[in-house]
Amino acid sequence: MMRDGYLATWQGREYEAAPDGDNVRIYITEPGAAGFVEVRPGRFVRLLGPDEYDDITYVRTTCTWRGEPFIVLAEADSWLRVEYTGGRAPMARALGLEEFDFGVYQGWAPAHEVTDIIEHRV
């Protein structure tokens, strides 16, 4: 599983998370866990105070595709959503990437073509 975003450790388990001041919101997809509230179908949240969670960190996954550097944003089936970090617009266009925002190029890469996948904790 490719990860990009905050993770919090609570009671020995890592959760997808979002900082909220000194507090942290943690998320799960399975119903029935004590203290979690459904915020939309299949998505549950629990707010933790600063003395309740053990750690919070940001995780970013990087990779190489067609010889160029990328961040992995998501995965779906056998595809990875990637964002180009090489800083060269002509190369981004040559790779067939779409300009998501000014100077930000993203696209879908076949997972079997992606190499050097590394998860970084910041």
Side-chain angles (χ1 to χ4, degrees):
M1 176 173 80
M2 303 297 160
R3 302 189 295 184
D4 183 66
Y6 286 97
L7 295 177
T9 305
W10 178 61
Q11 297 184 345
R13 180 177 164 197
E14 281 189 337
Y15 293 85
E16 180 184 341
D20 187 358
D22 288 337
N23 299 318
V24 171
R25 293 186 312 272
I26 59 173
Y27 298 92
I28 59 173
T29 56
E30 58 273 355
F36 283 83
V37 177
E38 188 169 26
V39 289
R40 69 172 197 250
R43 182 107 163 134
F44 303 84
V45 65
R46 179 178 179 143
L47 185 65
L48 301 176
D51 58 339
E52 293 181 272
Y53 61 91
D54 300 317
D55 185 42
I56 186 163
T57 189
Y58 193 85
V59 174
R60 165 125 314 154
T61 302
T62 60
C63 70
T64 302
W65 180 51
R66 297 185 179 170
E68 296 295 323
F70 287 86
I71 296 167
V72 180
L73 301 174
E75 64 181 320
D77 300 320
S78 59
W79 293 85
L80 299 179
R81 181 72 178 176
V82 294
E83 182 174 300
Y84 179 60
T85 59
R88 299 179 311 176
M91 176 57 75
R93 287 191 286 277
L95 290 168
L97 302 172
E98 57 189 279
E99 192 168 15
F100 181 77
D101 198 358
F102 182 75
V104 178
Y105 295 89
Q106 295 181 358
W108 288 97
H112 71 275
E113 292 182 9
V114 173
T115 60
D116 305 320
I117 297 171
I118 302 170
E119 185 176 280
H120 304 270
R121 289 177 177 259
V122 183

